[in-house]
Amino acid sequence: MSINRRRWLARLAAGGAGLLLPSRPAPGAPRPGAQAPPPSPAPEACPLALKDFQPKSMLHVAEHRVERARFPVIDVHTHLGWSRGGEMTYLATPAQLLEVMDRKNVRTMVNLTGGTGAGLAQTIRRFEAAAPGRFLTFTEPSWTRVSEPGYPQWQADEIERAKKAGARGLKVLKMLGLFLRENGTTGPLVKVDDRRFDPMWDACGRLGLPVAIHVSDPEAFFTPIDRFNERYDELGNHPDWSFYDRDFPSNAELLEARNRMFARHPKTQFIVLHVGNNAENLGYVSENLDRFPHTVVETGARIGELGRQPRTARRFIEKYQDRVLFGTDAVPPPDGENYPQQVFKDELYEIYYRFLETEDEYFDYAPAVIPPQGRWRIYGLGLPEPILKKVYHDNAARILGLSSERGIHSRASDLGGSVTS
């Protein structure tokens, strides 16, 4: 017999014996055989579009706002401008950036997309000359020349010229493997382990320039955009971010091509961005760190993945505490507003600090009304101070070849840079 639980509870509350026993008519109720009153109208249905669903947590748990990092921070993954056809477009002035940096205890920002040639020199003048010690600049490959004769050696020579101009490393966007084609926008995709880039990787190793490399994207970007996809919201809003089907390689194929390239260049330091390009699978990232000692990882735009596996993530960082760097993938407004999980502002850094420093439970991983990457929340790691100091500052200082903390402070102060300690 089917039981209406709500009716049963109502009868219990009124002193009845439940559904299974006949109940006495309440005073004033119609007698058996009498005509019953018309039923009350059913509650109206409340259809709600998923995009309008903004649930508020009912959990009563501790909340800690961390306004400043416990130790000075080197953010190894930011984008302060873009190169378009050799022309640089900048998203903020040094003064605008320094206001946030000083409040949040960010000592140095590493601008990964600093351009090439004249654009690179312009970027270095704009940021590093304005605030010595506060900004570092990476250069980028010249992808448009990849099919030209003599490109491999020319690109290697260009890396050397970039270092002389002041570049501190090389940034490789996910263009390699997913967008770059033999004829620019047509023809087959150029593979991550293409031999034409070997002289470039070798030049970086010889010159002591670390390579910040982004290969692949979240695993869900390589699966159908359907009801099973945990990033349905994100991909529904940005269907062009999907690499499912067509002629794109799989996530596994991209990572294996990257690993073949790593194996050929053991003397080059690689910063494998976004937690080794596979934050959903820390077991796989661990295997690669063990296999390739010349690699490190950083946290940019992936605390949404790390924070929903807090025990595994904390064990991972504890084990590789000398090889995890702090990064946010920060992009200043207005461009950054399109990516709430990485928009450069106070709240972004406060969320990262809360994630690393506290054991808070079930909080937002991005300063946004709706979680932009997936509908979940995260849990803090509560890392001990010795590990925090390494992740926030010391590991990056070592990889980037910076002087001691005292030396950085003195140099920046002497040259007029605003430094927070």
Side-chain angles (χ1 to χ4, degrees):
M1 178 175 63
S2 175
I3 296 177
N4 184 313
R5 181 175 174 79
R6 286 183 176 272
R7 192 176 301 164
W8 174 70
L9 290 171
R11 288 188 176 183
L12 286 180
L19 281 176
L20 301 182
L21 297 177
S23 57
R24 293 180 180 177
R31 295 180 177 180
Q35 185 176 4
S40 300
E44 291 186 12
C46 298
L48 181 69
L50 182 60
K51 65 180 178 62
D52 298 323
F53 183 49
Q54 299 176 17
K56 293 184 178 181
S57 172
M58 297 294 102
L59 288 179
H60 296 261
V61 292
E63 297 184 5
H64 301 90
R65 182 180 177 186
V66 184
E67 296 189 14
R68 288 173 58 82
R70 195 167 304 178
F71 300 99
V73 168
I74 299 174
D75 188 342
V76 301
H77 190 168
T78 71
H79 300 281
L80 307 184
W82 308 107
S83 175
R84 295 181 175 90
E87 296 292 325
M88 295 302 302
T89 298
Y90 299 109
L91 305 177
T93 66
Q96 291 170 329
L97 298 167
L98 288 166
E99 287 182 6
V100 176
M101 293 168 67
D102 288 343
R103 286 196 296 266
K104 300 299 117 182
N105 202 13
V106 178
R107 169 157 297 168
T108 303
M109 290 181 68
V110 181
N111 177 18
L112 295 184
T113 43
T116 64
L120 173 66
Q122 178 185 352
T123 300
I124 291 173
R125 287 194 304 270
R126 177 182 177 87
F127 294 103
E128 298 189 37
R134 305 304 299 276
F135 301 98
L136 299 177
T137 308
F138 276 36
T139 188
E140 302 168 74
S142 296
W143 302 118
T144 57
R145 303 185 62 163
V146 69
S147 297
E148 296 180 6
Y151 169 80
Q153 188 57 50
W154 177 88
Q155 183 63 80
D157 295 341
E158 187 69 6
I159 295 297
E160 190 159 356
R161 289 188 285 269
K163 179 172 183 179
K164 290 179 180 177
R168 303 301 293 264
L170 175 72
K171 166 66 161 106
V172 177
L173 295 162
K174 64 184 176 186
M175 179 179 293
L176 181 59
L178 287 171
F179 293 96
L180 180 64
R181 296 178 181 272
E182 285 294 343
N183 302 315
T185 58
T186 62
L189 287 162
V190 177
K191 297 183 183 300
V192 177
D193 59 341
D194 192 297
R195 292 278 184 175
R196 283 172 289 185
F197 303 115
D198 282 350
M200 177 177 71
W201 310 129
D202 287 338
C204 289
R206 185 179 71 256
L207 297 169
L209 295 177
V211 178
I213 184 167
H214 179 177
V215 170
S216 190
D217 252 342
E219 287 189 32
F221 286 21
F222 295 85
T223 62
I225 307 176
D226 58 18
R227 68 186 188 277
F228 302 112
N229 195 310
E230 69 175 4
R231 290 176 179 258
Y232 182 85
D233 278 0
E234 185 177 30
L235 291 171
N237 292 327
H238 306 281
D240 55 310
W241 292 3
S242 172
F243 299 111
Y244 176 70
D245 207 3
R246 290 172 284 177
D247 65 339
F248 294 114
S250 68
N251 179 58
E253 288 170 333
L254 286 165
L255 296 179
E256 288 308 305
R258 179 205 67 184
N259 287 353
R260 289 192 294 271
M261 183 271 287
F262 284 169
R264 293 205 306 265
H265 302 281
K267 295 182 180 180
T268 302
Q269 175 71 68
F270 291 93
I271 303 172
V272 195
L273 301 175
H274 304 298
V275 194
N277 307 139
N278 202 2
E280 302 96 324
N281 191 344
L282 294 181
Y284 179 79
V285 178
S286 297
E287 292 173 4
N288 287 308
L289 285 171
D290 293 341
R291 181 181 174 189
F292 303 115
H294 56 301
T295 64
V296 297
V297 301
E298 61 84 43
T299 60
R302 292 298 182 271
I303 61 171
E305 310 297 343
L306 297 178
R308 54 182 173 140
Q309 47 180 328
R311 290 183 290 276
T312 300
R314 175 164 172 150
R315 288 193 297 267
F316 173 83
I317 294 178
E318 287 174 343
K319 180 177 180 180
Y320 299 103
Q321 59 186 268
D322 296 316
R323 300 174 67 185
V324 178
L325 282 57
F326 179 90
T328 60
D329 200 6
V331 179
D335 283 21
E337 298 293 350
N338 297 318
Y339 318 98
Q341 71 275 9
Q342 58 198 81
V343 59
F344 176 80
K345 56 183 175 180
D346 292 63
E347 292 85 351
L348 178 72
Y349 285 98
E350 290 175 9
I351 290 172
Y352 272 80
Y353 301 162
R354 184 181 183 187
F355 167 66
L356 293 171
E357 295 188 23
T358 80
E359 293 184 347
D360 282 6
E361 298 180 292
Y362 202 65
F363 56 93
D364 293 329
Y365 59 81
V369 175
I370 298 175
Q373 294 175 299
R375 286 180 179 266
W376 54 77
R377 288 183 166 185
I378 64 172
Y379 302 80
L381 302 186
L383 295 176
E385 287 194 351
I387 296 180
L388 277 173
K389 189 170 185 293
K390 291 179 180 181
V391 172
Y392 276 147
H393 180 277
D394 293 353
N395 293 339
R398 184 185 72 252
I399 296 299
L400 296 168
L402 302 180
S403 57
S404 67
E405 184 175 319
R406 179 180 177 83
I408 297 172
H409 186 283
S410 298
R411 184 175 73 244
S413 297
D414 293 343
L415 295 174
S418 173
V419 175
T420 306
S421 55

